[in-house]
């Protein structure tokens, strides 16, 4: 086995690469950051699977997390909704594992049989981050299989959505690839059979020429009836709605090519345009495949079921047993352990409830509840286990009703340049074709028909249809490399139109890794203890953060405690008079700059604690850059304790809005749109779901793309947050490239039309111009898109 260097071992965890604590955990002279990482190493080592560490440096994932309880998987009803196949002996299940990221992961997960002989097959789909496991259900249970995965550091992500809306294989991409294969096969054979015509072999036997023509028509039929059928159905459906989309001239051109080819081959007057037809459909389908390309392992249409667990622990007659969430009813008593989600509105019956509602409301401060209080669904319990009595079923909870609001789920499709241009292109194309036909009608009817059909063939918007998908697909791949994942290519065009940007605060512009304080002044250890004991009595966010920063156990009681909400607090601790708070509260002359807690002990000023900058890296420069060309707004469900810190980043104080509930955010976005703004919203939680849907472009910001994020148009990794201005600039450049390629395609069409209106377009000329324009567009868009990416420092 390949060992790591000693310097690497001394500074980072051998398993996951995290920084080692002051006293690391040891095993076999290896150092680990936590007991979890050490445990995974020992499991692998005991099964002779230490080669896991040989293929990649620190391939594991951190194990600093709460252990999950998978006893609900013993319930046959729940298990039946998750497995792919089961019989009396064998069960197969496909699990989504976010931790899959390298070759070591593949090697380990495909060797699961070495941990248990009851697992006889495991296959990895690396792109989808899935593992398909087949096991002997008489020897090992589904729960044991999942617990084994958790034990080796590959915990599967199982949510309610896996049961309620079991993922089905998406056959659309497979069908599209099949259509491309059919069109490509026919195109190649037709080109081969058309060589005699290309080289003008006049002596070629008429019988063979006629036979090759009929064979070409035979190859054209599957292309027309199978590969190209979507263009005809799309054109017809849009025509019924009175819409001329890009598929109309494409379908018209394909139909005319086939009809004219049949006429020429049947009457022995020409070779037809079968080769052009097949090449056109082949390249169009490739462009369509490029346009539909997306990320298998990301979900842009998540709802509350992705956030909720599959089951909950029911307490009945003093016994605990798992219960499927959809069977939970009013009056049920449930047990919620530390870091588990509250699945339904309920009353607290037992235990100390300290709940994190930041994902639902946006409030960053944990909420404490007392016995008998109502706890709404969606909060995460932070401390020990609690017992609750359900007062509303899952389907009627506040969170579910919020999500099921129609305004949260409706969103119009994005209008693209191709959609806009196709309407006028179709009208002009038909006008030119009719004019050419009518011009020759009185003199030569054959030439009139030839010119009419030739215009429809040569002016078929192949290049226009390809310019958008190839340009946008190139940009999509560049965004992907920079950790910005878009739902589809149309999102790029919508991003180029944005003139207003709205940010959520908690989890979006705040840095989850930042925090703490810097102290300016002098405090003895005893004085720090007294400050901590006094601050523990306050619920203000700064007080809570200060207590967390000082991290001292309670020692002295507090007498004569008083608090001025939002200003400061005072009291007697260990016989000393303490005051903590703002400069105004302590009658200090200097105004506060940022989040500051001043300290006065026995009327002597001791200094102040200054909260560290909590914004994401680059936010200040990002706000300055975006503010030059877009209108910036902030919508936060949090309190306004950071208003003073945020004011420098936003041009007007009226653009900062706090204590916003989900409906308030949605209404504000709608108000901006009614004033003519094109709005891009950045959010991260369920409380942002409505605003993300309502905005023209909704982007979910997350520090782990595999974690839950609300339904959106794009997912932005927090590491790439500072690149937002570059992404917008590249999107605008991409639209510019599409416009330029449209001009290039018009130049090709103009050359072709010169011959077409005269009825002089030959199959050879069509066979040259059509692929030449296509290849030109593909090369131009790909090269230019990468050039602009370099210009914007994204490559």
């Amino acid at each position: 086995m390949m060992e790591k260097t000693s310097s690497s071992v001394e500074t980072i965890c051998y398993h996951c690469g995290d920084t080692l604590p002051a006293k690391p955990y040891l095993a076999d002279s290896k150092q680990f950051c936590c007991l979890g990482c050490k445990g995974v190493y020992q499991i692998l080592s005991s099964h002779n699977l230490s080669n896991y560490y040989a293929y990649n440096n620190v391939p594991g994932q951190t194990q600093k997390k709460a252990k999950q309880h998978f006893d609900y998987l013993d319930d046959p009803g729940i298990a039946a909704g998750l497995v792919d196949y089961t019989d009396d002996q064998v069960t197969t299940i496909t699990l989504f594992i976010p931790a899959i990221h390298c070759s070591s992961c593949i090697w380990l997960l495909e060797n699961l049989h070495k941990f248990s002989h009851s697992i006889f097959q495991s296959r990895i789909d690396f792109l989808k981050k899935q593992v398909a496991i087949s096991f002997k259900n008489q020897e090992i249970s589904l729960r044991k299989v999942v617990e084994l995965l958790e034990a080796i550091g590959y915990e599967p992500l199982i949510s309610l959505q896996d049961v309620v809306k079991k993922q089905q294989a998406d056959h659309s991409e497979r069908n599209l690839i099949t259509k491309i294969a059919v069109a490509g096969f026919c195109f190649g054979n037709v080109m081969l059979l058309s060589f005699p015509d290309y080289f003008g072999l006049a002596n070629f036997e008429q019988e063979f020429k006629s036979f090759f023509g009929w064979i070409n028509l035979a190859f054209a039929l599957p292309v027309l009836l199978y590969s190209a059928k979507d263009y005809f159905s799309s054109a017809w459906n849009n025509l019924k709605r009175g819409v001329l989309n890009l598929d109309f001239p494409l379908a018209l051109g394909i139909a005319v090519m086939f009809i004219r080819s049949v006429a020429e081959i049947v009457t022995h007057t020409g070779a037809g345009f079968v080769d052009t037809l097949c090449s056109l459909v082949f390249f169009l389908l490739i462009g369509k495949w490029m346009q539909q390309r997306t990320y298998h392992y990301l979900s842009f249409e998540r709802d509350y079921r992705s956030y909720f667990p599959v089951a909950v622990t029911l307490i009945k007659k003093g016994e605990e047993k798992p219960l499927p969430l959809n069977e939970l009813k009013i009056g049920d008593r449930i047990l919620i352990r530390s870091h588990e989600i509250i699945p339904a509105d309920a009353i607290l019956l037992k235990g100390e409830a300290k709940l994190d509602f930041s994902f639902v409301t946006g409030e960053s401060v944990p909420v404490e509840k007392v016995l008998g209080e109502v706890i709404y669904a969606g909060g995460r319990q932070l401390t020990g286990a609690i017992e609750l009595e359900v007062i509303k079923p899952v389907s009627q909870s506040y969170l579910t009703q919020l999500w099921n609001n129609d305004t949260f789920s409706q969103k119009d499709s994005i209008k693209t340049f191709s959609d806009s241009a196709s309407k006028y292109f179709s009208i002009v194309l038909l006008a030119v074709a009719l004019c050419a036909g009518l011009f020759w009608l009185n003199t030569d009817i054959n030439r009139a028909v030839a010119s009419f059909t030739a215009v429809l063939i040569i002016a078929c918007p192949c290049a226009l249809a390809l310019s958008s998908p190839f340009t946008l697909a190139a940009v999509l791949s560049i965004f992907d490399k920079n950790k910005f994942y878009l739902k589809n290519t149309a999102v790029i065009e919508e991003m180029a139109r944005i003139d207003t940007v709205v940010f959520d605060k908690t989890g979006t512009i705040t840095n989850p890794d930042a925090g703490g304080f810097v102290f300016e002044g002098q405090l003895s250890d005893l004085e720090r203890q007294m400050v901590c004991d006094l601050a523990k009595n306050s619920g203000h966010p700064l007080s809570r953060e200060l207590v967390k920063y000082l991290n001292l156990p309670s020692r002295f009681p507090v007498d004569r405690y008083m608090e001025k909400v939002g200003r400061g607090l005072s009291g007697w601790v260990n016989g000393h008079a303490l005051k903590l708070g703002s400069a105004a509260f302590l009658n200090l002359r200097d105004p506060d700059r940022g989040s500051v807690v001043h300290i006065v002990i026995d009327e002597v000023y001791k200094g102040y604690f200054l909260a560290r900058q909590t914004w994401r890296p680059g936010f200040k420069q990002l706000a300055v850059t975006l503010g030059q060309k877009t209108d910036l707004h902030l919508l936060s469900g949090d309190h306004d304790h950071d208003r003073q810190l945020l004011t420098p980043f936003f041009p007007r104080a009226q653009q900062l809005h706090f204590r916003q509930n989900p409906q308030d955010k949605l209404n504000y976005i709608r108000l901006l749109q009614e004033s003519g703004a094109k709005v891009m919203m950045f959010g991260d939680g369920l409380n942002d779901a409505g605003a993300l849907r309502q905005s023209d472009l909704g982007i979910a910001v997350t520090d782990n793309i595999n974690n839950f994020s609300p339904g959106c148009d794009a997912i932005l990794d927090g590491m790439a947050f500072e690149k937002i201005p570059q992404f917008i600039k590249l999107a605008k450049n991409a639209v510019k490239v599409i416009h330029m390629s449209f001009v290039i395609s018009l130049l090709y069409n103009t050359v072709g039309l010169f011959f077409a209106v005269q009825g002089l377009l030959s199959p050879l000329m069509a066979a040259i111009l059509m692929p030449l324009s296509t290849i030109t567009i593909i090369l131009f868009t790909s090269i230019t898109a990468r050039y602009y990416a370099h210009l914007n420092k994204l490559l």
Side-chain angles (χ1 to χ4, degrees), residues 282-314:
F282 176 65
F283 284 117
L284 285 174
L285 291 174
I286 290 177
K288 191 174 184 180
W289 176 77
M290 295 284 288
Q291 200 164 19
Q292 290 183 357
R293 192 182 63 171
T294 185
Y295 309 96
H296 298 291
Y297 57 93
L298 296 181
S299 174
F300 297 92
E301 302 295 343
R302 289 164 168 165
D303 61 17
Y304 70 93
R305 293 171 300 190
S306 299
Y307 186 54
F308 276 4
V310 171
V312 68
T313 303
L314 178 71

Short mmCIF file of all heavy atoms in Angstrom, two decimals, residues 282-314:
data_model
loop_
_atom_site.label_atom_id
_atom_site.label_comp_id
_atom_site.label_asym_id
_atom_site.label_seq_id
_atom_site.Cartn_x
_atom_site.Cartn_y
_atom_site.Cartn_z
N PHE A 282 -29.57 14.58 -38.36
CA PHE A 282 -28.49 14.08 -37.52
C PHE A 282 -27.87 15.20 -36.69
O PHE A 282 -27.73 15.10 -35.46
CB PHE A 282 -27.43 13.41 -38.40
CG PHE A 282 -26.22 12.93 -37.64
CD1 PHE A 282 -26.32 11.93 -36.69
CD2 PHE A 282 -24.96 13.48 -37.89
CE1 PHE A 282 -25.20 11.48 -35.99
CE2 PHE A 282 -23.85 13.05 -37.20
CZ PHE A 282 -23.96 12.05 -36.26
N PHE A 283 -27.51 16.32 -37.34
CA PHE A 283 -26.89 17.43 -36.62
C PHE A 283 -27.88 18.12 -35.68
O PHE A 283 -27.51 18.59 -34.60
CB PHE A 283 -26.30 18.43 -37.61
CG PHE A 283 -25.01 17.98 -38.24
CD1 PHE A 283 -24.94 17.78 -39.62
CD2 PHE A 283 -23.89 17.74 -37.49
CE1 PHE A 283 -23.75 17.35 -40.21
CE2 PHE A 283 -22.71 17.32 -38.06
CZ PHE A 283 -22.64 17.12 -39.43
N LEU A 284 -29.14 18.21 -36.10
CA LEU A 284 -30.16 18.82 -35.23
C LEU A 284 -30.33 18.03 -33.94
O LEU A 284 -30.45 18.61 -32.85
CB LEU A 284 -31.50 18.91 -35.96
CG LEU A 284 -31.64 19.97 -37.05
CD1 LEU A 284 -32.98 19.82 -37.76
CD2 LEU A 284 -31.51 21.38 -36.47
N LEU A 285 -30.34 16.71 -34.06
CA LEU A 285 -30.50 15.87 -32.87
C LEU A 285 -29.29 15.96 -31.95
O LEU A 285 -29.44 15.92 -30.72
CB LEU A 285 -30.75 14.42 -33.29
CG LEU A 285 -32.10 14.14 -33.95
CD1 LEU A 285 -32.17 12.71 -34.44
CD2 LEU A 285 -33.25 14.43 -32.99
N ILE A 286 -28.09 16.09 -32.54
CA ILE A 286 -26.90 16.28 -31.70
C ILE A 286 -27.02 17.59 -30.92
O ILE A 286 -26.71 17.66 -29.72
CB ILE A 286 -25.62 16.27 -32.56
CG1 ILE A 286 -25.36 14.85 -33.08
CG2 ILE A 286 -24.42 16.75 -31.75
CD1 ILE A 286 -24.16 14.74 -33.99
N GLY A 287 -27.47 18.64 -31.61
CA GLY A 287 -27.68 19.92 -30.95
C GLY A 287 -28.72 19.83 -29.84
O GLY A 287 -28.56 20.42 -28.77
N LYS A 288 -29.77 19.06 -30.09
CA LYS A 288 -30.82 18.87 -29.09
C LYS A 288 -30.28 18.13 -27.87
O LYS A 288 -30.61 18.46 -26.73
CB LYS A 288 -31.97 18.09 -29.72
CG LYS A 288 -33.23 18.04 -28.88
CD LYS A 288 -34.35 17.36 -29.68
CE LYS A 288 -35.65 17.39 -28.89
NZ LYS A 288 -36.74 16.73 -29.67
N TRP A 289 -29.45 17.13 -28.13
CA TRP A 289 -28.84 16.38 -27.03
C TRP A 289 -27.95 17.29 -26.20
O TRP A 289 -27.96 17.22 -24.96
CB TRP A 289 -28.04 15.20 -27.58
CG TRP A 289 -27.30 14.44 -26.53
CD1 TRP A 289 -27.81 13.55 -25.63
CD2 TRP A 289 -25.89 14.55 -26.22
NE1 TRP A 289 -26.82 13.07 -24.80
CE2 TRP A 289 -25.62 13.67 -25.13
CE3 TRP A 289 -24.84 15.27 -26.76
CZ2 TRP A 289 -24.36 13.53 -24.60
CZ3 TRP A 289 -23.58 15.13 -26.22
CH2 TRP A 289 -23.35 14.27 -25.15
N MET A 290 -27.17 18.15 -26.87
CA MET A 290 -26.32 19.10 -26.16
C MET A 290 -27.17 20.04 -25.29
O MET A 290 -26.80 20.38 -24.17
CB MET A 290 -25.51 19.93 -27.15
CG MET A 290 -24.51 19.13 -27.97
SD MET A 290 -23.03 18.69 -27.04
CE MET A 290 -22.21 20.27 -26.93
N GLN A 291 -28.32 20.45 -25.83
CA GLN A 291 -29.17 21.41 -25.13
C GLN A 291 -29.84 20.78 -23.91
O GLN A 291 -30.07 21.46 -22.90
CB GLN A 291 -30.25 21.93 -26.08
CG GLN A 291 -30.89 23.23 -25.65
CD GLN A 291 -31.65 23.88 -26.77
OE1 GLN A 291 -32.01 23.25 -27.76
NE2 GLN A 291 -31.91 25.17 -26.65
N GLN A 292 -30.13 19.49 -23.98
CA GLN A 292 -30.82 18.82 -22.89
C GLN A 292 -29.87 18.27 -21.84
O GLN A 292 -30.32 17.73 -20.83
CB GLN A 292 -31.69 17.68 -23.44
CG GLN A 292 -32.89 18.18 -24.22
CD GLN A 292 -33.78 17.04 -24.69
OE1 GLN A 292 -33.47 15.88 -24.48
NE2 GLN A 292 -34.87 17.38 -25.35
N ARG A 293 -28.60 18.38 -22.08
CA ARG A 293 -27.62 17.83 -21.15
C ARG A 293 -27.73 18.52 -19.79
O ARG A 293 -27.80 19.74 -19.72
CB ARG A 293 -26.20 18.00 -21.70
CG ARG A 293 -25.17 17.20 -20.95
CD ARG A 293 -23.80 17.46 -21.52
NE ARG A 293 -23.42 18.85 -21.38
CZ ARG A 293 -22.20 19.31 -21.64
NH1 ARG A 293 -21.26 18.50 -22.05
NH2 ARG A 293 -21.91 20.58 -21.47
N THR A 294 -27.75 17.74 -18.74
CA THR A 294 -27.85 18.31 -17.39
C THR A 294 -27.10 17.41 -16.42
O THR A 294 -26.35 16.55 -16.84
CB THR A 294 -29.33 18.49 -16.98
OG1 THR A 294 -29.38 19.16 -15.73
CG2 THR A 294 -30.05 17.16 -16.89
N TYR A 295 -27.35 17.61 -15.12
CA TYR A 295 -26.58 16.91 -14.10
C TYR A 295 -27.46 15.86 -13.43
O TYR A 295 -28.44 16.19 -12.77
CB TYR A 295 -26.06 17.91 -13.07
CG TYR A 295 -25.35 19.06 -13.72
CD1 TYR A 295 -26.02 20.25 -13.97
CD2 TYR A 295 -24.05 18.94 -14.14
CE1 TYR A 295 -25.38 21.30 -14.61
CE2 TYR A 295 -23.40 19.99 -14.78
CZ TYR A 295 -24.07 21.16 -15.01
OH TYR A 295 -23.44 22.19 -15.65
N HIS A 296 -27.11 14.58 -13.60
CA HIS A 296 -27.95 13.49 -13.11
C HIS A 296 -28.05 13.50 -11.59
O HIS A 296 -29.06 13.13 -11.02
CB HIS A 296 -27.38 12.15 -13.56
CG HIS A 296 -27.35 11.97 -15.04
ND1 HIS A 296 -28.49 11.84 -15.78
CD2 HIS A 296 -26.32 11.93 -15.93
CE1 HIS A 296 -28.18 11.71 -17.07
NE2 HIS A 296 -26.87 11.76 -17.17
N TYR A 297 -26.98 13.92 -10.91
CA TYR A 297 -26.94 13.78 -9.46
C TYR A 297 -27.52 14.98 -8.73
O TYR A 297 -27.55 15.01 -7.51
CB TYR A 297 -25.51 13.53 -8.99
CG TYR A 297 -24.52 14.61 -9.39
CD1 TYR A 297 -24.25 15.66 -8.54
CD2 TYR A 297 -23.88 14.56 -10.62
CE1 TYR A 297 -23.35 16.65 -8.89
CE2 TYR A 297 -22.97 15.53 -10.99
CZ TYR A 297 -22.71 16.57 -10.12
OH TYR A 297 -21.82 17.55 -10.48
N LEU A 298 -27.99 15.99 -9.47
CA LEU A 298 -28.59 17.15 -8.85
C LEU A 298 -30.08 17.20 -9.15
O LEU A 298 -30.52 16.80 -10.21
CB LEU A 298 -27.95 18.45 -9.37
CG LEU A 298 -26.48 18.65 -9.06
CD1 LEU A 298 -26.02 19.98 -9.62
CD2 LEU A 298 -26.23 18.61 -7.56
N SER A 299 -30.85 17.68 -8.20
CA SER A 299 -32.28 17.84 -8.40
C SER A 299 -32.63 19.31 -8.28
O SER A 299 -32.35 19.95 -7.28
CB SER A 299 -33.07 17.03 -7.36
OG SER A 299 -34.44 17.29 -7.48
N PHE A 300 -33.25 19.85 -9.35
CA PHE A 300 -33.65 21.25 -9.34
C PHE A 300 -35.13 21.41 -9.00
O PHE A 300 -35.64 22.51 -8.97
CB PHE A 300 -33.37 21.88 -10.71
CG PHE A 300 -31.93 21.90 -11.08
CD1 PHE A 300 -31.36 20.86 -11.81
CD2 PHE A 300 -31.11 22.95 -10.70
CE1 PHE A 300 -30.02 20.88 -12.16
CE2 PHE A 300 -29.77 22.98 -11.03
CZ PHE A 300 -29.22 21.94 -11.76
N GLU A 301 -35.83 20.29 -8.80
CA GLU A 301 -37.27 20.33 -8.56
C GLU A 301 -37.62 19.70 -7.22
O GLU A 301 -38.58 18.98 -7.07
CB GLU A 301 -38.02 19.57 -9.68
CG GLU A 301 -37.76 20.12 -11.07
CD GLU A 301 -38.30 21.53 -11.25
OE1 GLU A 301 -39.13 21.97 -10.43
OE2 GLU A 301 -37.88 22.19 -12.21
N ARG A 302 -36.80 19.95 -6.21
CA ARG A 302 -37.04 19.34 -4.91
C ARG A 302 -38.21 20.02 -4.20
O ARG A 302 -38.47 21.20 -4.39
CB ARG A 302 -35.79 19.47 -4.04
CG ARG A 302 -34.65 18.57 -4.51
CD ARG A 302 -33.37 19.00 -3.88
NE ARG A 302 -32.32 18.00 -4.09
CZ ARG A 302 -31.04 18.23 -3.90
NH1 ARG A 302 -30.64 19.41 -3.51
NH2 ARG A 302 -30.15 17.29 -4.11
N ASP A 303 -38.91 19.25 -3.35
CA ASP A 303 -39.94 19.84 -2.51
C ASP A 303 -39.71 19.40 -1.06
O ASP A 303 -38.68 18.82 -0.73
CB ASP A 303 -41.34 19.48 -3.01
CG ASP A 303 -41.61 17.97 -3.00
OD1 ASP A 303 -40.85 17.25 -2.32
OD2 ASP A 303 -42.55 17.54 -3.66
N TYR A 304 -40.69 19.69 -0.20
CA TYR A 304 -40.49 19.42 1.23
C TYR A 304 -40.22 17.95 1.51
O TYR A 304 -39.61 17.60 2.52
CB TYR A 304 -41.72 19.89 2.02
CG TYR A 304 -42.96 19.03 1.79
CD1 TYR A 304 -43.24 17.97 2.64
CD2 TYR A 304 -43.81 19.27 0.73
CE1 TYR A 304 -44.34 17.17 2.44
CE2 TYR A 304 -44.93 18.48 0.52
CZ TYR A 304 -45.19 17.43 1.38
OH TYR A 304 -46.28 16.64 1.16
N ARG A 305 -40.66 17.04 0.63
CA ARG A 305 -40.46 15.61 0.86
C ARG A 305 -38.98 15.23 0.78
O ARG A 305 -38.56 14.22 1.34
CB ARG A 305 -41.29 14.81 -0.14
CG ARG A 305 -42.78 14.96 0.08
CD ARG A 305 -43.58 14.34 -1.05
NE ARG A 305 -43.28 14.95 -2.33
CZ ARG A 305 -43.99 14.72 -3.44
NH1 ARG A 305 -45.01 13.88 -3.40
NH2 ARG A 305 -43.67 15.29 -4.56
N SER A 306 -38.18 16.02 0.07
CA SER A 306 -36.74 15.75 0.03
C SER A 306 -36.08 16.11 1.36
O SER A 306 -34.99 15.66 1.66
CB SER A 306 -36.09 16.57 -1.08
OG SER A 306 -36.62 16.23 -2.33
N TYR A 307 -36.76 16.95 2.14
CA TYR A 307 -36.21 17.44 3.40
C TYR A 307 -36.64 16.56 4.57
O TYR A 307 -35.94 16.46 5.57
CB TYR A 307 -36.72 18.88 3.58
CG TYR A 307 -36.16 19.64 4.74
CD1 TYR A 307 -34.79 19.78 4.92
CD2 TYR A 307 -37.00 20.25 5.66
CE1 TYR A 307 -34.28 20.51 5.98
CE2 TYR A 307 -36.51 20.98 6.72
CZ TYR A 307 -35.14 21.10 6.88
OH TYR A 307 -34.64 21.83 7.93
N PHE A 308 -37.81 15.91 4.44
CA PHE A 308 -38.37 15.12 5.52
C PHE A 308 -37.82 13.71 5.54
O PHE A 308 -37.47 13.15 4.51
CB PHE A 308 -39.89 15.05 5.38
CG PHE A 308 -40.61 16.24 5.96
CD1 PHE A 308 -39.91 17.31 6.49
CD2 PHE A 308 -41.99 16.29 5.98
CE1 PHE A 308 -40.56 18.40 7.00
CE2 PHE A 308 -42.66 17.38 6.50
CZ PHE A 308 -41.94 18.45 7.03
N PRO A 309 -37.78 13.09 6.73
CA PRO A 309 -37.33 11.69 6.83
C PRO A 309 -38.39 10.74 6.28
O PRO A 309 -39.54 11.12 6.07
CB PRO A 309 -37.14 11.50 8.33
CG PRO A 309 -38.10 12.47 8.96
CD PRO A 309 -38.12 13.66 8.05
N VAL A 310 -37.99 9.50 6.07
CA VAL A 310 -38.91 8.49 5.56
C VAL A 310 -39.89 8.05 6.65
O VAL A 310 -41.06 7.81 6.40
CB VAL A 310 -38.12 7.26 5.06
CG1 VAL A 310 -39.05 6.11 4.73
CG2 VAL A 310 -37.31 7.64 3.84
N ALA A 311 -39.39 7.96 7.89
CA ALA A 311 -40.21 7.47 8.99
C ALA A 311 -39.88 8.24 10.26
O ALA A 311 -38.91 8.98 10.33
CB ALA A 311 -39.97 5.97 9.19
N VAL A 312 -40.73 8.03 11.27
CA VAL A 312 -40.53 8.68 12.56
C VAL A 312 -40.70 7.61 13.64
O VAL A 312 -41.35 6.58 13.42
CB VAL A 312 -41.54 9.84 12.73
CG1 VAL A 312 -42.95 9.32 12.85
CG2 VAL A 312 -41.18 10.74 13.89
N THR A 313 -40.14 7.85 14.81
CA THR A 313 -40.25 6.90 15.91
C THR A 313 -41.53 7.16 16.70
O THR A 313 -41.70 8.24 17.29
CB THR A 313 -39.03 6.99 16.84
OG1 THR A 313 -37.84 6.76 16.08
CG2 THR A 313 -39.13 5.95 17.95
N LEU A 314 -42.44 6.19 16.70
CA LEU A 314 -43.72 6.31 17.40
C LEU A 314 -43.59 5.70 18.79
O LEU A 314 -43.01 4.62 18.97
CB LEU A 314 -44.82 5.59 16.61
CG LEU A 314 -46.22 5.57 17.24
CD1 LEU A 314 -46.84 6.96 17.18
CD2 LEU A 314 -47.11 4.56 16.52
#
